[in-house]
Every structure is written in C-alpha cells, then in structure tokens.
Amino acid sequence: MGTTGTTGIAGTAEAARAVNSGTGGGIASGTALGAGAVGATRTAAGTAAAAEWTPPLSTRGRWIVDADGDRFKLRSGNWHGASGTWNGSGSTDDDANHHAGENSGRIPLGLDRAPMAEIIAGFQEIGINSIRLPFSNEMIHDGRPVTDDSVAANPSLRGMTPLQVYDVAVRELTAAGLAVILNNHTNTTRWCCGVDGNERWNASQSTETWENDWLFMARRYKDNQRVVGADLYNEVRRNVWDDPNWGLGDNHDWFTVSQRVGDRILTEADPDLLIVVEGINWTGIPVDGFAHERPTLEPARHLSHTLVDSGKLVYSAHFYDYTGPNHSGATGTGETSDPRYRDFSPGELIDVLNRQAFFVTAEQDRHFTAPVWISEFGVGGRDETGAKQRAWFENFVDQLIRTDADFAYWPLVGWHEDRRGNGWALLHWDAAGHRMGVYDGDDWRAAAWTRLMAAPARTGHVEPVTEWSMLSPDHGDVVQSRRMRALPDWNPGARKAVCPDGQRIVGLAHTGNRALCSDVSAGALWDAARGHEVVVDERHVRPSQDWASGYTKLQCADGQFLIGYSVRGSAVSAALCATARAGELGTSGRTVWFDRGDNRGEAPKGGDFAHGHYKGQCADDEYAAGIAYTGRFGSSRTPDALYCRKLS
C-alpha cells in the first residue's frame, strides 16, 4: 500500500491510491447483504472460509499445503489499519489527515462502525479463507490505550492498547477458521508508502529492533496454529538517497536480511510459520532519463532464498493498474513517461507479469521455485469509470485464474457515507453501522470477484517434490543445516556454506562461491548418528583413484557425501562430508570439469545457480564426493572439478 502519488519519489504499489480512490460512487441504497445475496455469494465463491484444513502450512514446490499435504490456496484479503492511516501531516485526531479520510485509530479499520464478529462474517461471506493483517513496529511498542471512539462498535476493546486489539483480531479471525498472515507493513504508524520513513525495514529504526520485533510477534502467536505466516516487510523501496538491493551485503541488502530474520523466526520463535518475502518494489530515481524500475521478484531468478527449513518459503509481489515495471505509480512529481500496467495489451501484460513474478511458480525444479502470493492487488469500485482501469482488473483476474495463483485483495474494509467513500474496499460500513458490499448489485467488480473465487483450482493431495536450493556465501556464512548450526564452528575464519538437512551438494561454481543442493533421486541420506567430517587435505584419495591428477583434491571418505564447503576469499578452504546410511552410496565415480565452461549434463535441473560463472553438476543419480582445485601460479584456488559418484 502507498501514498497519494501526487508528490515524492513514490515507487510504491499504492502510490496514486488517494487520487484514484479518494471518492467513491453510489447508486440506490441498500445497507447490507440480504440472505439471498449472501447465499448466492457463497455459492458463486465456491469456497467456505472455515473449510476443513489442518495447520500448520508448508510448501511443496509451487504449492502451499496443509499438514495433511492437501493444497491450501490463499484466497486472502488485507484487513488494514493497525499499521496506520495517518498521512503524515496535521493532527492525528482529524479524520481529514488520514488516508481517504478513514481514521483507523491505530487498529484494524472499521471497529468504530461494526462489531468485529460482523466484519469477520463479511469476510467469510465473500469467500475469503485467510487474512493478511498489517502491523507497524510502532504499534507493537505503543502503550497508549485506543480511544473510545475508535472502538465505538466494540466496547469490550475499550482501554486496550493497539497491540491488545490486534491480539483480539487474531484470536477472533482464527476462531472463525480463517488463516492469519502477520504482515510487518511499516516502521511507524503512518500510511505507507512513498518517502515516509517506512521505505525499508531499517528506515526509522535499527535492523536489530526490526528482527527482535519479529521474534516477539512470532512467539506471541506461536500457540495459535492458524497464525500461519510471517510476511516480513511491505514494499521495500528507495528513500531519497539510497536504493535497496538484493545481495550486496550492505545495510540496504533486502535479500540477506530477509533470509537471516526468516531463519531466526524458524529457529528461535516458531518453526511452523511460512516465511513470506516480497520482492523489491522500487529502485532508482523516477525521472525520465534516469535508471528506475520495479524489480519485484526478478532478482530471485539468479539469487534465491534457502531457508534453514525447506518448505517454508513463499515469495510475494504487488500489482496495481497505475504502477508499471518502470512506473512508480506517481502523478506529478515522480511521474515518468513509462507505461503503467493498465497501458499494456492482455498479451503484453501476461508477458511482463510472468517476467516479474509468476515465473517463480511457472518454472519447476529450479532453485527459486516456490509459491507466489500476490499479496496486494485491487481497483476502485463503484466510482471507477476508467476503461483502462476496469480492463486491467479483468485482465489481472484472468492471470490469477490462469495461473491458479494465491492472492490477497487490497483492502477488505472501508468507510462509506450514503454509498460514497473510498471505493477500493470490498466491504464498507457507514457511521450508523450500515454495510455496503461488493454484492449489493451496483459494484462492477462483483462479476470478476465471483469469477475469481469460483475458478477451478488445484485441490487435494500434493505429492512431495524434489527440493533444489542455492548456497550463496557471498558475504558470510550460509549454514542452512540445523544439525551443523547446533555444533561449534567447523572452520573458524572461513565463510561456510551447508545444505539444509536432507539435501546434498550436486553442483558447484568455478568462481563466485555458489553451489546447488538437492535431495533428488535419494532423499535424505545423512545418518546423523554417524556424524560428519571436515576434510582439508587428500587423506581419502587413493593413489589408484586419482580423479584429478595434478590438482589438490578434498575428497570425502567412502560412505560419505558432500553437504558443505568453506571458502577464504574465493579460494576453497575445506569440504564438509556427512556419513550416509549404510549401503546408500556407491563408489564408482567420474570427474566433472568446469574450469573452462559449464558441465552440467543434458537438461540439468535446478536452474542457473551461479549466473555468469562456469558451473559443474552431478547427474540426478549421483552424489558429489569431492572438490578439486589447483594452487599453481596465477590460480585463485577456486573449484575446477567435482568428483561425482553413483548413488547405490
């Protein structure tokens, strides 16, 4: 979500929302959905929010599944407000100084106008099964009680802090059978987005504070199994002076910090949560002639996350009609001549959406393959008469249906007076508590919403899939094995990389320090009771089996396989070998050279795990048992060959 789009750098998924949704339309009255309309809605939606599902959630390839292995499609909406609605100027008490005039009072919107139970029932009626629930870091620490006016329709919430009201919302949503994804939307309790102090996770606070707040929130709801996800941060983007980046290792590196806090949540707070990582929303200066773009998830193609627990990563992206792959969404300052998404033909739109985000689910058996949750999309309702805006929404819904994508509409709740107000929401309440909904008969979005909710989708059991993971010790350790994390440092002073438990190294780069892990063909091989070995010399190389003559070889012993390695600079430092269960590994092998070009076999799986570098990869029915390099003059002691042996 974003700012007004009329000033500032923008680069947001809602940069122009106040312009596009500042006034809503309205025709004939009607204050609530009637029983017939509700029944029709439920039938059309083709889903019940409280349908049977067994938490916790995890992933299998591109699918999210429940604890029984059945597909759980996130048909979500955003219930915003707790992250703030104040526009940043004037008194926070004046509704006029809040986005679209809607003052949330630092809590989920609408609690001044309707009982929480009624709001949640409205979510269920339109087919929602999950809620993205934004919060701010300021909200967590805000000890001021909410005002009586902000909870006028929910008097039991009087005297509570914003966090305590958030607690109640989580409790009641999950009690109704809905899944909840916690979303760290902003640092401050201010309407996002633009140059507002919320551009990065550490824009208005330290990274340490941000990480500690996440551990606090994950632990707070650990015992509620229907709290299923941690959406780490919303719309990471440029501030006045600096861009965020994906992998540079500095204080603005979203890739590295999101992987670190995701691992910390799983290992220190709640191992059951999905970890949701949104792509980068904006980089560059939005002025014609200067480089600028919305990278979204494109960087993940060449550098993807590998969490300490496989099956917990979900990527996310946001799309609105008024933004574009190179358009911030702004009007006035920050507006460029680049096309917006609504300017593309249906075919062009599909191409750009696939390039920016949907490739993550479309391309299987890649290191980046994961579910993609479109955690924000939306459009103006009754008062939106623009042909391009309406066509975009229909075309985008087509894309969601075509790809069977997980999604979250923005927003679910809004205000109206005499059927006028911020028309973006699907459900609106007026000051008297009368509801106006998407199915009242005068909202043009109703047909598209029904089509989306009723569309055929994969259901039922999803078989486990082969895992493919990238190791990238570019700037520090990437030890993704829980077993090795629990042990002392096995090569002090070196940067270490270890596959997640259950996977083995199958590929290595000549330069760039990256590797590919997988459980392909064999599943988990490691016999934990038989331990591991750090190999720094040729102790296991038999003279009769010199597989890389003239090269230094770090070889695992018979019965061991490669799960990790360490580097100093660009030079190989050690090999980490795990002991397999008896009889799992063969001893016949071959040398795979990759010092002068790629050597990955025909149609290798896993994807380009070291873009721009030579790579070697064992076959699916092999395991890596050694690394060879040379220390001769002019060499950087980078890997030159893998020793690939047959699985049993």
Side-chain angles (χ1 to χ4, degrees), residues 351-369:
D351 288 344
V352 73
L353 293 175
N354 288 342
R355 171 172 58 84
Q356 291 200 292
F358 288 85
F359 74 92
V360 176
T361 57
E363 299 181 34
Q364 301 301 296
D365 287 321
R366 301 291 191 268
H367 60 82
F368 54 74
T369 303

Side-chain angles (χ1 to χ4, degrees), residues 326-378:
N326 298 94
H327 201 300
S328 71
T331 57
T333 303
E335 185 174 11
T336 63
S337 60
D338 304 286
R340 304 172 190 258
Y341 291 114
R342 67 188 180 216
D343 296 324
F344 292 112
S345 69
E348 291 170 335
L349 181 63
I350 290 171
D351 288 344
V352 73
L353 293 175
N354 288 342
R355 171 172 58 84
Q356 291 200 292
F358 288 85
F359 74 92
V360 176
T361 57
E363 299 181 34
Q364 301 301 296
D365 287 321
R366 301 291 191 268
H367 60 82
F368 54 74
T369 303
V372 170
W373 184 37
I374 306 302
S375 54
E376 286 188 27
F377 77 104

Side-chain angles (χ1 to χ4, degrees), residues 194-382:
V195 184
D196 59 357
N198 294 307
E199 299 90 348
R200 297 187 314 275
W201 63 97
N202 58 359
S204 300
Q205 62 190 4
S206 68
T207 296
E208 180 183 15
T209 295
W210 178 69
E211 292 190 15
N212 288 338
D213 282 352
W214 255 124
L215 296 179
F216 170 82
M217 291 294 278
R219 290 167 181 153
R220 189 174 186 86
Y221 306 110
K222 183 177 186 294
D223 293 333
N224 188 336
Q225 287 285 284
R226 290 184 184 264
V227 176
V228 300
D231 184 352
L232 299 180
Y233 202 72
N234 182 73
E235 296 188 4
V236 174
R237 58 196 182 277
R238 182 186 176 90
N239 62 11
V240 173
W241 301 111
D242 298 297
D243 283 326
N245 67 78
W246 192 275
L248 295 184
D250 59 15
N251 195 40
H252 297 170
D253 182 352
W254 174 231
F255 168 80
T256 298
V257 75
S258 57
Q259 175 150 308
R260 183 174 69 239
V261 79
D263 284 337
R264 291 194 68 192
I265 289 169
L266 293 172
T267 57
E268 300 177 40
D270 188 349
D272 290 333
L273 291 178
L274 296 173
I275 303 299
V276 182
V277 180
E278 187 178 335
I280 291 178
N281 196 65
W282 186 261
T283 62
I285 301 173
V287 175
D288 287 339
F290 288 81
H292 53 263
E293 64 174 334
R294 296 186 70 238
T296 52
L297 291 173
E298 290 185 68
R301 178 177 289 280
H302 296 144
L303 179 59
S304 64
H305 292 72
T306 297
L307 296 173
V308 69
D309 293 326
S310 300
K312 286 299 180 181
L313 174 67
V314 174
Y315 280 122
S316 71
H318 296 174
F319 292 101
Y320 292 97
D321 71 273
Y322 50 81
T323 58
N326 298 94
H327 201 300
S328 71
T331 57
T333 303
E335 185 174 11
T336 63
S337 60
D338 304 286
R340 304 172 190 258
Y341 291 114
R342 67 188 180 216
D343 296 324
F344 292 112
S345 69
E348 291 170 335
L349 181 63
I350 290 171
D351 288 344
V352 73
L353 293 175
N354 288 342
R355 171 172 58 84
Q356 291 200 292
F358 288 85
F359 74 92
V360 176
T361 57
E363 299 181 34
Q364 301 301 296
D365 287 321
R366 301 291 191 268
H367 60 82
F368 54 74
T369 303
V372 170
W373 184 37
I374 306 302
S375 54
E376 286 188 27
F377 77 104
V379 72
R382 291 161 175 79

